[in-house]
Amino acid sequence: MCLAVPMRVEQVLADDLAVVEIGGVRKTVSLALVDGVAEGDYVIVHVGFALTRLNADEARKTLDLFAEIAQVAGTGSLEGP
């Protein structure tokens, strides 16, 4: 199963890279597949690549669903916007 996760862009770096964050976890990902990403944007991340941008409301809805699934499964939760 593959899972892409909404993450907030904390810092845009050189060479189409960015630092993204979710629940205190930070990761450097490639922005090569998405144009016009700015700090504060939310992107869907899969295997180190931002696949698309999404608005904060959609990110919140998705992260809330992930948190609900984690709670039901008893594995904790993800924090979001």
Side-chain angles (χ1 to χ4, degrees):
M1 177 172 93
C2 296
L3 182 64
V5 179
M7 300 183 82
R8 188 177 61 79
V9 177
E10 285 196 335
Q11 183 179 12
V12 176
L13 306 171
D15 300 322
D16 285 330
L17 297 174
V19 175
V20 295
E21 184 272 338
I22 184 172
V25 176
R26 289 175 177 75
K27 179 175 179 71
T28 300
V29 300
S30 173
L31 297 177
L33 303 175
V34 184
D35 291 327
V37 175
E39 292 175 9
D41 285 349
Y42 285 85
V43 291
I44 298 289
V45 176
H46 178 64
V47 294
F49 289 87
L51 301 177
T52 189
R53 272 188 303 159
L54 71 162
N55 67 44
D57 289 336
E58 288 301 315
R60 164 56 46 214
K61 288 177 189 175
T62 302
L63 292 170
D64 285 348
L65 286 172
F66 286 166
E68 184 177 336
I69 291 167
Q71 185 176 32
V72 168
T75 59
S77 65
L78 297 174
E79 297 176 27

